[in-house]
Amino acid sequence: LIARAFRHQFVIPDFLGFTKDIEEIYWRCKTNTDGKVASYIPQLARVSPDYWGVSVTTIDGQRFAIGDVHVPFTLQSCSKPLTYAVALECLSQEIVHKYVGQEPSGRNFNELVLDHNKQPHNPLINAGAILVCSLMQTLVHPEMTLAEKFDFTQNWFERMAGMENFGFNNSVFLSEREAADRNYALGFYMREYNVFPEKTNLRECLDFYFQICSMETTADSMSVVASTLANGGICPITEEKVFRPDVVRDVLSLMHSCGMYDYSGQFAFQVGLPAKSGVCGGIMLIIPNVAGIFAWSPPLDICGNSVRGVQFCKELLNVFNFHRY
Ligand code: DON
């Protein structure tokens, strides 16, 4: 890092200028009080709507953060590309996509719907993520106990985050499991169509899904995860090769087309970058070969995306020409 600094070889050479613009956008978004904190999981409804943080990590390890970037929140659907990446890395694209498609569903994230093959549309909506959890349970180290599988997955997430610790929010987990009629319905619906690999234990699989959604992290750690994906799978902080480049390509492709719920098409059109949001109010934004950004603010719009987060992404693109096309 220091050698690069002396040689002026950073991917964003004028980082100070860059962060000044980010700061201005941050303050503009802060005044936006639209949206509602997710309430369908009771424990999520208790989070303050005022939280707002943005963290940036470039692929060469320059970092900037503003606002509530150290406040823990549960990953929710921001976990979906992470679990999908681990499954791809451990199993291969061929095996994973025998079970799950690559098409935006055009529907709500938890809609009771499968594609024309009677498979989940993609791994970034609930049905697909539950399916990926079943692959993690039955095909990735099937000899592991449930506890070992949780540790294994958490460790993968931590490696993406440059070895930052991930926590676990038990009350969100319990609350989520209590309020999970739709996810159970999805599970039974998929089982009816033989979507799952043999030996899937549906109850354990859904528990594993809720556990992953209830893992806890911060915007600061998630910007490192985002930068690992921006950097072809090599964590810029530890320089560990976490994923093969083809895994990252698959994950980013689907984040681009399916990462923002039923707003994915508009987001891809306007912002033109892979992203994934979650009902926690997080948006993970990848600027390939440049940086990873994580924006977190709990109030959501009608699609389920963070209001301040979406505004931030749009305004960022007004200032910087990061759109892929
Ligand atoms: O399954 C649920 O309802 C939550 N644990 C996750 C929801 C979420 O963030 C939506 N995602 N696509």
Side-chain angles (χ1 to χ4, degrees):
L1 196 75
I2 291 168
R4 276 204 206 111
F6 278 120
R7 283 188 248 123
H8 296 282
Q9 278 180 345
F10 284 124
V11 63
I12 302 181
D14 180 17
F15 195 62
L16 217 62
F18 177 70
T19 59
K20 226 176 113 260
D21 285 319
I22 297 227
E23 225 177 306
E24 278 172 18
I25 302 172
Y26 172 89
W27 290 111
R28 273 202 298 280
C29 298
K30 195 174 168 74
T31 58
N32 187 342
T33 53
D34 291 348
K36 281 205 175 63
V37 177
S39 58
Y40 75 109
I41 299 172
Q43 296 298 318
L44 286 184
R46 300 186 174 185
V47 179
S48 163
D50 298 328
Y51 282 133
W52 173 221
V54 173
S55 179
V56 182
T57 303
T58 68
I59 58 159
D60 42 19
Q62 298 202 85
R63 301 191 69 173
F64 173 76
I66 180 164
D68 302 307
V69 295
H70 301 298
V71 180
F73 54 85
T74 54
L75 274 177
Q76 299 300 329
S77 288
C78 294
S79 66
K80 290 178 167 105
L82 281 58
T83 322
Y84 172 52
V86 176
L88 285 173
E89 180 75 26
C90 297
L91 296 173
S92 81
Q93 182 202 70
E94 196 192 338
I95 295 181
V96 172
H97 284 287
K98 264 206 304 219
Y99 297 90
V100 58
Q102 296 124 359
E103 198 68 13
S105 69
R107 309 282 281 271
N108 266 341
F109 64 90
N110 61 359
E111 194 113 350
L112 204 61
V113 61
L114 297 174
D115 68 12
H116 60 283
N117 297 314
K118 289 285 176 245
Q119 289 186 333
H121 284 83
N122 68 69
L124 303 185
I125 52 171
N126 286 20
I130 292 168
L131 188 277
V132 171
C133 284
S134 78
L135 301 182
M136 291 286 292
Q137 291 267 337
T138 56
L139 304 181
V140 178
H141 296 296
E143 76 288 355
M144 283 184 181
T145 63
L146 297 175
E148 286 167 340
K149 196 54 69 70
F150 178 84
D151 287 343
F152 171 82
T153 309
Q154 192 177 40
N155 181 259
W156 267 101
F157 290 7
E158 289 173 349
R159 286 168 56 200
M160 296 179 218
M163 294 320 284
E164 287 292 332
N165 284 337
F166 273 55
F168 176 72
N169 188 323
N170 194 42
S171 69
V172 170
F173 166 72
L174 294 170
S175 176
E176 181 145 351
R177 190 166 59 173
E178 271 314 297
D181 291 351
R182 178 58 66 91
N183 286 323
Y184 281 109
L186 277 169
F188 288 122
Y189 184 49
M190 289 194 283
R191 191 163 75 179
E192 183 189 359
Y193 283 104
N194 275 323
V195 170
F196 292 112
E198 252 179 84
K199 302 209 186 91
T200 297
N201 176 322
L202 189 54
R203 189 188 55 77
E204 288 176 3
C205 165
L206 281 160
D207 263 8
F208 184 52
Y209 169 79
F210 304 139
Q211 285 162 16
I212 293 176
C213 288
S214 307
M215 277 192 202
E216 219 168 33
T217 184
T218 64
D220 233 11
S221 298
M222 284 305 283
S223 81
V224 179
V225 172
S227 70
T228 299
L229 293 172
N231 195 31
I234 299 172
C235 175
I237 304 301
T238 57
E239 299 192 339
E240 185 193 347
K241 187 173 182 300
V242 185
F243 296 118
R244 297 187 306 269
D246 59 294
V247 166
V248 174
R249 186 197 55 202
D250 290 350
V251 173
L252 296 187
S253 302
L254 291 188
M255 283 172 67
H256 183 95
S257 56
C258 316
M260 296 293 289
Y261 306 116
D262 201 17
Y263 187 70
S264 300
Q266 288 172 75
F267 192 87
F269 184 80
Q270 292 172 4
V271 177
L273 292 171
K276 181 72 193 96
S277 66
V279 291
C280 52
I283 297 183
M284 176 164 68
L285 183 73
I286 317 293
I287 310 171
N289 303 316
V290 178
I293 298 183
F294 199 88
W296 176 61
S297 189
L300 309 176
D301 61 22
I302 43 162
C303 291
N305 295 316
S306 168
V307 171
R308 291 190 184 106
V310 170
Q311 184 186 342
F312 177 85
C313 296
K314 287 184 182 165
E315 291 210 17
L316 183 72
L317 264 289
N318 286 340
V319 182
F320 298 100
N321 190 16
F322 288 133
H323 196 294
R324 294 297 274 160
Y325 310 106

